[in-house]
């Protein structure tokens, strides 16, 4: 049935080939759908970041495609019903006025801050290497001055020199740009492909509280907060909700050890907050 709904003559083979390259094969059909969305997100994100880093040679990206005219397996970032796939949530982040992009070039990793703001930024770059279990093994910070409307390389490092004998399958690099006590941009960088990461099994807690009934989202007037936390790192957390009744402000996000991440749940009707069905899973749960 899925092959019949695939318009491209080699569409399934393409998805399957690159999934096997970067991810472990998922355990079931629902997991396959989830991981295929991560794969799509990764590919488009690589392109968008490269385009934004290249300014002024390249001044942006038009992503293909936004939506579908019928239910189908495709490269759209929203499904036929308008629900956001992983890519659409990522596009929202990638087109923020300020982003941090980390990419490999030869034997080095380069950290670039891209700003579409017209004014200059004086901020602090904060880099931390963390283990998935929560331990910090390296910290670094520096003051940075960024011109308006620019892409500025702010740091580079050799992973081999920096990490030494530390197991790269158990760590990641977190980068933040802070200005006037506000986080303007952040990004997580992994030294291995997702399939090679030694992700820990962990339980994701979601605490829901009613906020108000003045949502700006049409047809979803009631707003709840969702506070997510985990004792250990959880990669690409997916909150599964009934998309005919609810919408989320964020999804498919990394959750750091003991971090509390707040997002919003928009509802068509007011419900008992304890009865709203939200199931949280992450990449490790798909294997």
């Amino acid at each position: 049935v899925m092959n019949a709904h695939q318009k491209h003559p080699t569409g399934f083979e393409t998805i399957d080939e690159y999934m096997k390259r970067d991810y472990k094969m998922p355990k079931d059909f629902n997991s396959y759908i989830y991981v295929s969305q991560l794969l799509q997100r990764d590919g488009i994100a690589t392109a968008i970041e490269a385009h934004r880093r290249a300014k002024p040679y390249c001044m942006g990206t038009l992503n293909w495609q936004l939506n579908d005219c019928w239910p189908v397996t495709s490269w759209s970032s929203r499904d036929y019903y308008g629900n956001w796939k992983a890519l659409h949530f990522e596009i929202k982040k990638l087109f923020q006025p300020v982003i941090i992009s980390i990419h490999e070039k030869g034997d080095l990793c380069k950290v670039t801050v891209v700003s579409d703001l017209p004014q200059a930024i004086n901020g602090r770059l904060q880099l931390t290497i963390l283990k998935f279990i929560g331990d910090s093994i390296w910290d670094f910070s520096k003051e940075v001055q960024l011109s308006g409307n620019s892409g500025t390389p702010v740091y580079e490092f050799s992973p081999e020199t920096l990490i030494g004998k530390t197991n790269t399958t158990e760590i990641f690099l977190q980068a933040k740009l802070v200005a006037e006590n506000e986080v303007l941009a952040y990004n997580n960088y992994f030294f291995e492909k997702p399939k090679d990461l030694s992700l820990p099994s962990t339980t994701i807690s979601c605490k829901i509280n009613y906020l108000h009934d003045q949502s700006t989202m049409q047809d979803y007037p009631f707003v709840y907060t969702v506070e997510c936390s985990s004792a250990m790192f959880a990669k690409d957390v997916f909150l599964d909700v009934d998309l005919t009744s609810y919408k989320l402000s964020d999804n498919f996000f990394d959750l750091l050890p003991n971090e509390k991440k707040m997002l919003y749940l928009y509802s068509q009707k007011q419900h008992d907050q304890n009865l709203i069905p939200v199931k949280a899973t992450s990449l490790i749960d798909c294997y």
Side-chain angles (χ1 to χ4, degrees):
V1 170
M2 295 304 296
N3 280 334
H5 279 256
Q6 173 58 254
K7 181 180 179 182
H8 196 284
T10 60
F12 171 75
E13 289 79 6
T14 301
I15 296 170
D16 203 58
E17 176 185 353
Y18 289 116
M19 186 180 291
K20 290 175 180 175
R21 181 193 69 179
D22 291 347
Y23 288 86
K24 297 176 183 177
M25 291 306 292
K27 63 184 180 183
D28 54 34
F29 184 63
N30 285 337
S31 298
Y32 193 95
I33 294 172
Y34 160 81
V35 174
S36 71
Q37 290 188 46
L38 302 183
L39 184 69
Q40 179 195 28
R41 175 205 64 186
D42 296 345
I44 301 299
T46 300
I48 290 175
E49 285 192 27
H51 295 163
R52 292 197 66 182
R53 284 196 309 267
K55 64 180 351 182
Y57 176 80
C58 176
M59 295 300 285
T61 300
L62 294 174
N63 62 292
W64 178 266
Q65 79 192 58
L66 177 65
N67 57 2
D68 284 319
C69 59
W70 58 71
V72 65
T73 304
S74 83
W75 43 73
S76 68
S77 62
R78 302 187 304 164
D79 70 14
Y80 169 74
Y81 302 98
N83 299 313
W84 291 21
K85 301 179 186 178
L87 172 59
H88 209 76
F89 284 101
E90 188 69 11
I91 287 173
K92 179 181 177 181
K93 301 171 188 174
L94 290 171
F95 285 142
Q96 292 291 322
V98 182
I99 65 167
I100 298 175
S101 178
I102 306 170
H103 69 289
E104 298 177 17
K105 190 170 184 179
D107 295 331
L108 297 176
C109 281
K110 294 181 176 290
V111 182
T112 302
V113 177
V114 181
S115 173
D116 285 348
L117 298 175
Q119 70 271 22
I121 298 174
N122 294 321
R124 174 171 288 272
L125 176 70
Q126 299 177 349
L127 302 176
T128 307
I129 294 181
L130 293 160
K131 288 187 174 182
F132 292 144
I133 59 175
D135 299 338
S136 173
I137 63 173
W138 179 78
D139 287 287
F140 174 82
S141 66
K142 64 175 290 190
E143 299 295 327
V144 293
Q145 295 181 332
L146 311 169
S147 302
N149 198 28
S150 66
T152 307
V154 291
Y155 191 71
E156 64 179 39
F157 63 92
S158 165
E160 183 177 357
T161 302
L162 182 63
I163 297 170
K165 296 182 179 180
T166 303
N167 189 344
T168 53
T169 68
E170 300 177 347
I171 61 174
F172 67 101
L173 171 69
Q174 183 190 59
K176 288 183 179 180
L177 178 67
V178 179
E180 297 180 356
N181 296 319
E182 179 184 355
V183 177
L184 294 184
Y186 69 92
N187 199 359
N188 295 328
Y189 177 81
F190 300 88
F191 299 95
E192 304 289 347
K193 291 181 178 180
K195 69 177 182 180
D196 297 321
L197 296 175
S198 300
L199 296 170
S201 295
T202 187
T203 300
I204 301 164
S205 171
C206 294
K207 182 180 179 181
I208 302 175
N209 286 305
Y210 180 66
L211 188 60
H212 56 66
D213 60 355
Q214 298 179 2
S215 169
T216 57
M217 182 174 287
Q218 187 177 3
D219 300 328
Y220 296 85
F222 300 96
V223 187
Y224 297 80
T225 59
V226 184
E227 184 182 273
C228 301
S229 61
S230 171
M232 290 183 282
F233 180 79
K235 182 166 173 52
D236 298 317
V237 173
F238 170 57
L239 301 185
D240 192 0
V241 299
D242 177 6
L243 294 176
T244 62
S245 301
Y246 305 99
K247 299 294 180 184
L248 288 162
S249 63
D250 198 6
N251 216 342
F252 303 93
F253 52 84
D254 291 340
L255 192 57
L256 274 63
N258 299 311
E259 172 194 52
K260 291 184 178 180
K261 179 177 175 63
M262 188 77 71
L263 54 113
Y264 297 102
L265 177 74
Y266 304 97
S267 175
Q268 292 180 337
K269 300 178 181 179
Q270 186 172 1
H271 301 281
D272 183 336
Q273 61 196 36
N274 297 313
L275 299 179
I276 297 177
V278 176
K279 180 183 177 183
T281 59
S282 64
L283 183 57
I284 190 65
D285 300 316
C286 292
Y287 302 138

